[in-house]
Amino acid sequence: MSAPIEDPPLTNLRDRLAAIATLDAAALEAEDIAILGRKQGELTGRLKSLAALSIEEKRAQGAELNALKVQFEAAIGVRRVELADAARQREGAGVDLTMPGREAWRGTMHPVTVVIDEIVEIFGALGFSVALGPEVESEENNFGALNFAPDHPAMDMHDTLYLDPQGAVPAEGQRLLLRTHTSPVQVRVMREGPPPYRVVIPGTVYRNDAFDPSHAPAFAQIEGLAVDEGITFVDLKATLAHFAERFFGRGTTVRFRPSFFPFTEPSAEMDVACQLCAGQGCAACKGTGWMEILGCGMVHENVLRNCAVDPERWTGFAFGMGPQRIAMLRHGVPDIRHLYAGDMRFLQQFPSVGS
Amino acid sequence: MNASRAWLEAFLRQPLDAEDVAQRLAMLGAPVDAIEPVGADLSAFVVATVTKVRAHPDADKLRVTTVDDGSGSTWSVVCGAPNVVAGGRYPFARIGTTMPGGMVIERRKLRGEVSEGMLCSARELGLGEEHDGLLTLETDAPDGTPVVTLLGAGDQRLVVDVTPNRPDLFGHKGIARELAASLNIPFRLPEIPGLAATDVPPPERAGDSGSTGGITVTIADRQGCPRFLAGVVRNVKIGPTPDWLRNRLAAVGVRSINNVVDVTNYVMFELNQPMHAYDADALRGAAVGVRAAGSGEVLVTLDGSSRTIPEGALVIVDGAGVIGVAGVMGGRDSEVTGATTNVLLECAAFDPSRVRAARRALGMSTDASQRFERGTDRWGAVDAFRRAMQLLASVTAGTIDLPTVDCFPAPSHPPRIFLRPSRVRQVLGLDLDWREIERCLVAIGATVVSKPDDARIAVDVPGWRPDLVAEIDLIEEVARIHGYEAIPATVGAVRPVFRPDDTGWAAARAARRLLVAAGLSEVLTLPMVAAGDPAAPVLLNPLSNDHRCLRAALVPALLTEVERNWAVHTGDVRLFEVGTVFSVSDQPGAAPRETQHAAFTITGRRQPAHWNDDKPRAWDRWDAKELVRQLVDLAHPGAELQVEGESWAVHAPDGRRIGHAGPVTADSPPWADPVFAGEVELGPMTTAHAQFAPLTMFPAVTRDLTLRVPAGRPVADISTLLVQRGTRHDLRAVHVVDEYRDPAVGADARSVTVRLVFRNDQRTLTDTEVDQATGRLRTSLERELDVSLRSS
């Protein structure tokens, strides 16, 4: 290996490279052309003249010249950005950057819709798909098929709105009503075809209840149904406890209490540790430390039978909850009536995240 | 159901903590809604001793007493009670005390004598009906002791939320049974002070008809009344009720009436068996019975109102007519009064649905009907009857006219149910030991009559649990008593089910996203509206006239919400809703048609003002047109908006109107901007995926034409013609970029600038080609539509 030949023009180029960082905008562009220009560029010319040299000379000078070219390109690029930044800073001087930005209206999903979407998504990840059904139902679908005994006190929990038959005389069980729960969709899903089923059912339901801070004559409900071979109460607890953790946050504790619904047995209520007091007991949870969140249970044998599903082979669970109530807890809304009004001051408080 | 903690303690023979009881009951399925101290409003009353009594100088019936209330002072109190005696101890209301009725005790003069407080009767304390004299306190407690500590000794009332399937929890015995199971201790009936140790002999069995104490008892409706027990207690002394009994009733919130009625109430709250006591001498024809009511029968009930009884309802009758509505309320004419000397006690079982139907038709609910409609224990009725008879005889110092009678025309037993441990496993996912299953069932009062190695367990269910009729009911009991918390929550394998989401779901979500992205806010209005739209289905029993119909469209409710915003001075309102609308079916009696709609209303500024910009524009019809355009593209690709008066309408291929957009009229304040609205029926979402179009390298060439448009010629005609004729000349798009109306030329005269966009995917178009194509298109416009270039 011979020592690099000391070439005076190259030394000159190295000095000019060092000087790039000090050039002003006009000088920088002139120097760019003078060195790297396609026609008169000094470095370009030297690189072109390499072609005439022997292989050894090419090898000796080529690497050096190419390295210089890269360095010039980089140095010129850096200086250009520096100069542009400086120019923008000069222009921006005196602008008050604390002046407000240009706002745009932000659209919002209703807080109840957001709750429903989140619930659907969580159960979607567990293999549940969305089923919908009509809001006007027959008595049979709303009550009879769901194991409500006629004239039983359980009916008192479902104060029902009926449609005016307008002179028609409906057959037994075919009186039309506004569904009091989303459960008739369970019946429709099961009557569509054989199990297995895994569905969530969001929808509006109706009760003959006047408005007060915690009651409304129409409200959302979301219900779930899972029927398969081998589903047990253990699966019910596992699925709903998982849901509670996904929805309310990791570590959320739940408890299951016996309850009664005509269409499930065993029936349960699932409580979630109060979100406001972390289970310590406060006004929101009436001092119990628990919030009632959903009703659930193993699908009643009679319901399966009514839908031509053999309860000896298939078992399942169902659950239902009220998105309005959950939205009220989540956002601290004191009166359910806010959720039915279009007051922009209310709606704009809940900017949509995601979905 | 109101339960008394002290009463439960008497069953369980041990002290209870109300909070702990509430927790245990909640975990057994009967949550406690509230725990209330009993007699809280009596806390101001104290025990006081009357030390002196003298006649009032100016009134015959009044006395002037000296009262020592333990405060160190004595008080002069004027009192009108006949029973006040020196040395007697009574409840005393000091000056400043608020009485249960709201009156505040003040220092005042009664016919010239100063009165510094008030000695109280039972009624004045809200403890009962007696107002004949002061409530005499038999107590050693020092003067000044709050009366409330004597009456029920700090008892607590638990308000238990009983589910409709559990009639047994309407009695303290049922609740005690649950607690005993939870605490794993025994329980038995409370001992009653002063009650004779000997039991009342069992009543004599009879069929449809029997007699006791000279009164015939007849069941004329076996289905409605499967069992009827009756007995007579003679020579009763109607009067005040002993303290222990009064306290029990006060603790559950029942006022003392008299010693007879109080006994029936006591047994009802203890054993969940409602009963009725009659003045035996008021029964006409010395007979009592049960039958179905005929048409138009009338009864004056205990509350004094005259009621027409629904035909077919179960009624209690004497020899002359109706004396009670079975299981609901008795009649006034046969009620026990102060003059009663002989009492007939009725203890019966009634068909729950008949009682329910009757009380609904009568529009009244009583403690008795609440229990009967859930189902009482017809087999346990004998024990309840015997306890009540014994208590009655004891508290009224009367004698039982033996034998009593038990009409039970079709004797039966509670059902036997078979339970398979394998089924317990299949439903609960839990391998429970036979002994644990047995423990759970015994705890609820069932009898297990099988051996451990039987494949199915024979279980005799208790009579007080009419809800237990099938194997699954027993499985729930096993889970409940074993404890839901003891069942694991382990995630198992899940087999995927193929079932696509309902197509309407995706459509609704897409519509919501679209409108949110446009800056609108979602609202959920009530689907019930006032009458007005002929398409709106009508409700039979609406909440009010404002909620008489189901909505046939969304925009009207949204407009109401716009007005609500105006009322609070909000002028920028951008609302949308996605929801179900209804329209009556063509076929009478058929369910209404339900469709999902998306709708919006917009008014006010299109964007918030910014300091660096001109004043922002208000929303206009063109915004509404575009929003509806986008919604239509979601649900009905290809459907076109057509001009319809001042608005636009969209029709489906079958001609149905599926959307509209345009200005709307609202009740606007003068400062409000105009309102625009749109509504579109969302069909199922199209599942076709958009297909890729190649991105060309070759530039587009544009030409602007400013056209003079004759009056009455819509610009849509021009665009359509240009697209039709221009396609073969590589015309790819036509944009309307400007409209100019020159009032100098005429009101209808306008010129419209259209931008023609030419492009070829294979090569760059030359200016010459484009100019030639533009020329041809101009010619077509002139010839076919009489539209020419505006001369400058």
Side-chain angles (χ1 to χ4, degrees):
Chain A
M1 276 291 274
S2 55
I5 299 151
E6 216 25 60
D7 181 347
L10 272 190
T11 314
N12 176 28
L13 279 175
R14 286 202 188 90
D15 291 345
R16 287 167 74 180
L17 176 64
I20 294 281
T22 64
L23 300 177
D24 67 14
L28 181 68
E29 297 315 316
E31 188 71 346
D32 186 12
I33 291 163
I35 309 241
L36 298 172
R38 234 189 316 168
K39 287 177 181 154
Q40 283 103 29
E42 189 174 338
L43 199 48
T44 315
R46 290 187 66 117
L47 278 162
K48 274 184 191 157
S49 63
L50 281 178
L53 298 182
S54 71
I55 291 175
E56 271 126 43
E57 281 169 321
K58 261 187 209 162
R59 199 174 284 157
Q61 294 180 30
E64 184 82 25
L65 288 170
N66 273 315
L68 260 176
K69 185 183 175 201
V70 169
Q71 286 167 350
F72 264 105
E73 283 168 351
I76 290 168
V78 166
R79 182 60 185 157
R80 228 178 237 140
V81 170
E82 272 175 19
L83 289 168
D85 283 350
R88 208 176 40 249
Q89 268 170 27
R90 278 194 304 279
E91 276 168 32
V95 170
D96 178 1
L97 295 180
T98 66
M99 291 291 275
R102 186 172 281 106
E103 282 178 276
W105 298 135
R106 294 182 203 193
T108 54
M109 294 270 186
H110 197 274
V112 169
T113 302
V114 174
V115 167
I116 293 171
D117 281 355
E118 283 180 30
I119 295 170
V120 165
E121 195 175 318
I122 292 168
F123 283 101
L126 295 173
F128 289 71
S129 54
V130 176
L132 303 176
E135 293 170 26
V136 173
E137 272 288 8
S138 66
E139 238 172 352
E140 157 65 13
N141 277 356
N142 194 76
F143 293 126
L146 289 160
N147 198 39
F148 279 78
D151 232 355
H152 188 269
M155 301 283 280
D156 291 346
M157 301 191 291
H158 291 250
D159 213 346
T160 309
L161 290 162
Y162 287 90
L163 264 74
D164 191 333
Q166 308 274 11
V169 182
E172 176 70 24
Q174 295 307 308
R175 270 210 298 171
L176 292 174
L177 48 77
L178 285 168
R179 64 181 180 189
T180 59
H181 47 179
T182 43
S183 308
V185 186
Q186 286 187 23
V187 175
R188 288 173 177 272
V189 167
M190 289 195 273
R191 285 178 176 171
E192 247 170 44
Y197 315 113
R198 245 177 218 92
V199 288
V200 276
I201 305 156
T204 306
V205 303
Y206 300 79
R207 302 278 167 93
N208 198 349
D209 280 339
F211 263 124
D212 72 22
S214 51
H215 293 89
F219 50 96
Q221 195 172 70
I222 182 159
E223 178 147 331
L225 171 75
V227 175
D228 203 339
E229 285 162 318
I231 290 189
T232 70
F233 202 86
V234 171
D235 298 296
L236 175 154
K237 283 188 68 175
T239 307
L240 296 177
H242 169 82
F243 159 73
E245 271 207 275
R246 284 284 310 274
F247 190 88
F248 294 103
R250 182 170 283 279
T252 297
T253 48
V254 295
R255 71 172 186 184
F256 290 83
R257 288 184 288 111
S259 189
F260 168 74
F261 308 105
F263 39 93
T264 53
E265 186 157 30
S267 300
E269 296 271 359
M270 184 177 84
D271 297 340
V272 169
C274 176
Q275 301 290 297
L276 297 179
C277 63
Q280 297 305 299
C282 65
C285 57
K286 289 194 269 173
T288 62
W290 296 95
M291 294 279 201
E292 223 176 283
I293 289 298
L294 59 77
C296 56
M298 300 300 290
V299 181
H300 200 290
E301 299 179 343
N302 293 348
V303 175
L304 294 174
R305 270 185 217 111
N306 291 341
C307 299
V309 173
D310 177 8
E312 290 292 322
R313 178 177 170 199
W314 307 96
T315 49
F317 63 83
F319 57 88
M321 57 193 128
Q324 262 91 0
R325 187 180 143 70
I326 294 173
M328 286 168 78
L329 289 174
R330 171 184 271 195
H331 299 292
V333 178
D335 190 321
I336 198 169
R337 285 170 283 205
H338 285 300
L339 298 174
Y340 294 82
D343 192 323
M344 292 298 286
R345 299 170 305 171
F346 175 79
L347 300 172
Q348 291 280 305
Q349 290 179 24
F350 311 103
S352 298
V353 281
S355 55
Chain B
M1 159 75 182
N2 290 340
S4 145
R5 196 206 66 226
W7 202 334
L8 294 171
E9 284 171 343
F11 267 99
L12 294 161
R13 308 296 200 272
Q14 70 167 49
L16 297 170
D17 172 63
E19 296 286 346
D20 180 61
V21 167
Q23 164 74 12
R24 287 174 189 279
L25 289 177
M27 298 313 285
L28 286 163
V32 171
D33 287 341
I35 299 172
E36 300 162 349
V38 171
D41 47 355
L42 301 182
S43 49
F45 297 90
V46 294
V47 177
T49 305
V50 170
T51 53
K52 268 185 261 172
V53 178
R54 64 182 169 89
H56 190 290
D58 206 18
D60 290 347
K61 290 188 176 170
L62 296 180
R63 252 80 60 86
V64 182
T65 65
T66 305
V67 173
D68 183 348
D69 68 347
S71 65
S73 310
T74 56
W75 309 96
S76 169
V77 175
V78 178
C79 173
N83 68 334
V84 63
V85 292
R89 311 194 70 200
Y90 312 102
F92 178 59
R94 291 168 172 151
I95 288 165
T97 301
T98 305
M99 301 299 289
M103 184 182 77
V104 179
I105 302 298
E106 289 167 354
R107 182 192 156 90
R108 57 178 183 146
K109 274 190 177 172
L110 283 165
R111 299 224 179 168
E113 290 288 323
V114 172
S115 188
E116 303 166 304
M118 182 166 139
L119 294 162
C120 305
S121 70
R123 195 167 80 185
E124 280 157 348
L125 295 186
L127 288 177
E129 296 299 315
E130 285 145 46
H131 196 49
D132 300 337
L134 302 179
L135 177 63
T136 306
L137 299 171
E138 311 280 347
T139 177
D140 298 330
D143 289 332
T145 306
V147 170
V148 67
T149 59
L150 309 181
L151 306 171
D155 194 2
Q156 286 159 296
R157 178 185 302 152
L158 291 88
V159 182
V160 185
D161 183 4
V162 179
T163 53
N165 60 327
R166 291 297 303 274
D168 60 312
L169 299 184
F170 275 93
H172 282 75
K173 188 180 183 184
I175 296 173
R177 181 182 297 109
E178 297 276 303
L179 289 174
S182 172
L183 294 159
N184 216 10
I185 56 169
F187 76 106
R188 63 196 151 87
L189 275 187
E191 276 150 24
I192 284 170
L195 202 62
T198 48
D199 265 0
V200 174
E204 226 162 60
R205 259 311 165 77
D208 287 313
S209 177
S211 82
T212 180
I215 294 170
T216 20
V217 178
T218 314
I219 297 176
D221 187 332
R222 271 194 201 188
Q223 183 276 331
C225 177
R227 193 168 198 176
F228 194 108
L229 296 115
V232 175
V233 182
R234 299 208 176 276
N235 301 315
V236 298
K237 286 185 192 62
I238 307 298
T241 297
D243 285 348
W244 69 267
L245 178 48
R246 180 200 309 276
N247 294 345
R248 284 278 184 263
L249 295 180
V252 297
V254 171
R255 284 170 75 96
S256 175
I257 309 284
N258 59 45
N259 48 4
V260 172
V261 175
D262 287 2
V263 163
T264 60
N265 281 333
Y266 175 85
V267 177
M268 174 169 73
F269 273 89
E270 186 174 76
L271 301 175
N272 188 37
Q273 174 64 55
M275 300 186 192
H276 194 74
Y278 301 89
D279 183 331
D281 302 312
L283 297 175
R284 298 157 293 183
V288 69
V290 191
R291 62 164 167 81
S295 87
E297 291 194 89
V298 174
L299 174 71
V300 178
T301 43
L302 281 176
D303 56 4
S305 51
S306 172
R307 297 167 190 273
T308 304
I309 298 158
E311 191 174 352
L314 280 178
V315 285
I316 311 295
V317 292
D318 63 5
V322 177
I323 57 169
V325 183
V328 183
M329 195 177 267
R332 190 185 57 188
D333 296 343
S334 56
E335 79 175 302
V336 172
T337 65
T340 301
T341 52
N342 300 306
V343 166
L344 176 104
L345 182 73
E346 161 212 312
C347 171
F350 299 117
D351 174 12
S353 61
R354 298 276 293 274
V355 173
R356 181 175 160 83
R359 75 104 178 133
R360 281 168 67 95
L362 289 167
M364 61 197 300
S365 183
T366 60
D367 279 327
S369 71
Q370 195 182 30
R371 287 168 169 81
F372 277 120
E373 68 177 282
R374 283 165 173 77
T376 55
D377 179 4
R378 75 178 71 159
W379 300 281
V382 180
D383 292 339
F385 174 73
R386 290 169 72 187
R387 185 163 175 86
M389 288 299 281
Q390 190 181 20
L391 259 171
L392 264 187
S394 165
V395 303
T396 62
T399 33
I400 301 170
D401 195 337
L402 292 169
T404 55
V405 71
D406 172 9
C407 293
F408 196 13
S412 60
H413 297 285
R416 171 170 294 183
I417 303 173
F418 293 93
L419 173 66
R420 296 163 294 169
S422 63
R423 185 68 174 160
V424 175
R425 194 178 320 117
Q426 190 188 8
V427 173
L428 300 184
L430 208 53
D431 241 329
L432 286 182
D433 186 66
W434 192 93
R435 272 167 310 200
E436 173 61 5
I437 294 177
E438 185 184 34
R439 181 189 76 84
C440 295
L441 294 173
V442 168
I444 61 159
T447 311
V448 173
V449 289
S450 302
K451 292 185 288 295
D453 51 353
D454 290 349
R456 8 176 256 174
I457 304 172
V459 182
D460 287 344
V461 304
W464 56 84
R465 292 295 302 272
D467 58 315
L468 304 182
V469 296
E471 182 186 42
I472 191 67
D473 303 321
L474 295 181
I475 293 173
E476 178 172 63
E477 291 305 297
V478 169
R480 205 169 63 81
I481 302 297
H482 181 70
Y484 281 14
E485 289 302 279
I487 299 175
T490 326
V491 183
V494 171
R495 101 165 122 178
V497 179
F498 178 76
R499 187 180 201 284
D501 284 345
D502 193 296
T503 49
W505 180 246
R509 281 172 59 94
R512 281 196 195 99
R513 275 198 300 267
L514 189 159
L515 293 162
V516 167
L520 276 60
S521 287
E522 186 184 18
V523 60
L524 302 177
T525 64
L526 207 61
M528 291 92 105
V529 296
D533 192 325
V538 181
L539 297 179
L540 192 62
N541 53 339
L543 281 150
S544 74
N545 263 337
D546 288 342
H547 303 112
R548 181 161 292 282
C549 293
L550 291 172
R551 63 188 176 196
L554 298 175
V555 165
L558 292 180
L559 277 178
T560 306
E561 296 307 316
V562 169
E563 287 162 7
R564 180 198 298 275
N565 278 285
W566 283 335
V568 294
H569 308 288
T570 306
D572 294 321
V573 189
R574 309 166 300 281
L575 296 175
F576 80 88
E577 177 160 15
V578 176
T580 306
V581 303
F582 306 81
S583 60
V584 287
S585 166
D586 304 336
Q587 296 155 318
R593 202 178 110 85
E594 292 184 32
T595 45
Q596 205 169 204
H597 280 203
F600 62 85
T601 46
I602 43 179
T603 179
R605 296 169 299 170
R606 268 190 110 235
Q607 284 303 335
H610 189 250
W611 55 272
N612 204 24
D613 297 346
D614 295 335
K615 186 173 175 290
R617 283 183 24 223
W619 293 102
D620 61 25
R621 68 177 80 225
W622 309 110
D623 296 310
K625 187 180 187 187
E626 173 59 12
L627 282 176
V628 163
R629 165 84 269 154
Q630 291 188 18
L631 288 170
V632 165
D633 285 348
L634 275 183
H636 312 277
E640 288 298 332
L641 276 70
Q642 284 140 2
V643 177
E644 200 180 81
E646 287 295 293
S647 301
W648 297 277
V650 191
H651 294 270
D654 65 4
R656 212 174 63 252
R657 194 166 183 268
I658 50 171
H660 62 88
V664 282
T665 309
D667 189 5
S668 326
W671 50 265
D673 286 313
V675 191
F676 302 90
E679 179 154 355
V680 172
E681 178 186 316
L682 300 176
M685 275 281 281
T686 168
T687 49
H689 296 291
Q691 295 301 299
F692 173 76
L695 308 178
T696 176
M697 297 277 293
F698 302 99
V701 182
T702 63
R703 291 289 183 273
D704 286 0
L705 301 179
T706 297
L707 304 167
R708 178 183 305 286
V709 182
R713 171 64 70 194
V715 82
D717 291 354
I718 298 171
S719 308
T720 307
L721 184 88
L722 287 169
V723 169
Q724 276 170 5
R725 301 284 180 271
T727 307
R728 66 191 135 110
H729 303 300
D730 293 322
L731 179 70
R732 293 304 177 87
V734 177
H735 302 300
V736 176
V737 295
D738 196 16
E739 183 194 47
Y740 176 69
R741 287 173 192 268
D742 186 354
V745 179
D748 291 337
R750 59 172 182 156
S751 49
V752 170
T753 307
V754 294
R755 177 163 299 159
L756 310 181
V757 181
F758 296 90
R759 201 184 61 235
N760 186 299
D761 291 343
Q762 269 76 47
R763 60 190 176 82
T764 304
L765 293 172
T766 65
D767 281 350
T768 324
E769 281 176 301
V770 172
D771 287 340
Q772 278 174 1
T774 306
R776 289 200 187 96
L777 292 171
R778 272 171 52 193
T779 313
S780 295
L781 287 175
E782 269 168 41
R783 276 199 202 135
E784 297 179 49
L785 299 179
D786 190 24
V787 169
S788 56
L789 276 195
R790 190 173 78 115
S791 49
S792 42

